[in-house]
Amino acid sequence: AGEDDGLAGPLGLARGGNEGGGPGQAADSVTELQILVWERGARPTSLGRALGERRTPLGKPKSWTLRCDPPAGTFPDPDGACNALDELDQPFAETPEDAVCTEQYGGPEVASVNGVFRDETVNTRFSRDDGCEVGRWKKHAFLLSGKS
């Protein structure tokens, strides 16, 4: 994928010239995200948790769009959010399956972020179900609260 293979990226957007990117290197890449945040989510049953089920969103979510380069969208501070995302290394990486997490419950909130970040497809969920996920939520609080 390092050379132009003529393929469009996710969401039909042409790929930018900055493969891989990194903090501060997103100027030539595409970032277009849909952010949904629910204040409540239904917790799976104990069997569901054992099978890897996640919290199910309930009610109507808060919803924002965010584009970078140039910053735009319905997000309240797109410039601040784009700058904060650029400071994070792999901001949408999931918690590894084999991570050891505390059984610390942080609340019923659920969020999803979908789209493209630095030309890479993003399809991730956030919850506050254990210590790892609470930490991940806090790292992205600027994005999930609508305040950067």
Side-chain angles (χ1 to χ4, degrees):
E3 295 181 23
D4 183 8
D5 54 15
L7 298 175
L11 303 179
L13 301 170
R15 291 188 196 159
N18 185 13
E19 298 289 335
Q25 298 178 347
D28 294 335
S29 62
V30 173
T31 293
E32 188 165 329
L33 301 170
Q34 174 73 42
I35 303 150
L36 300 171
V37 180
W38 292 266
E39 291 183 13
R40 291 184 336 124
R43 192 174 185 131
T45 64
S46 57
L47 175 60
R49 284 191 300 277
L51 295 174
E53 290 180 11
R54 299 172 103 172
R55 187 171 291 279
T56 304
L58 297 173
K60 184 175 169 91
K62 295 178 186 176
S63 175
W64 299 283
T65 58
L66 176 64
R67 288 181 296 285
C68 299
D69 305 317
T74 61
F75 194 83
D77 180 8
D79 190 47
C82 291
N83 287 336
L85 282 172
D86 281 343
E87 295 298 317
L88 298 177
D89 184 39
Q90 300 181 338
F92 299 110
E94 298 273 342
T95 300
E97 290 284 327
D98 60 351
V100 178
C101 304
T102 61
E103 292 196 26
Q104 168 191 0
Y105 178 69
E109 298 90 346
V110 179
S112 70
V113 178
N114 298 289
V116 180
F117 177 72
R118 297 182 189 150
D119 299 327
E120 298 293 325
T121 300
V122 173
N123 183 12
T124 192
R125 291 184 53 153
F126 294 86
S127 70
R128 298 168 55 86
D129 286 342
D130 62 36
C132 293
E133 292 304 308
V134 168
R136 204 167 157 249
W137 188 284
K138 286 180 180 178
K139 178 179 168 182
H140 295 83
F142 70 92
L143 194 63
L144 304 178
S145 68
K147 301 172 189 168
S148 46

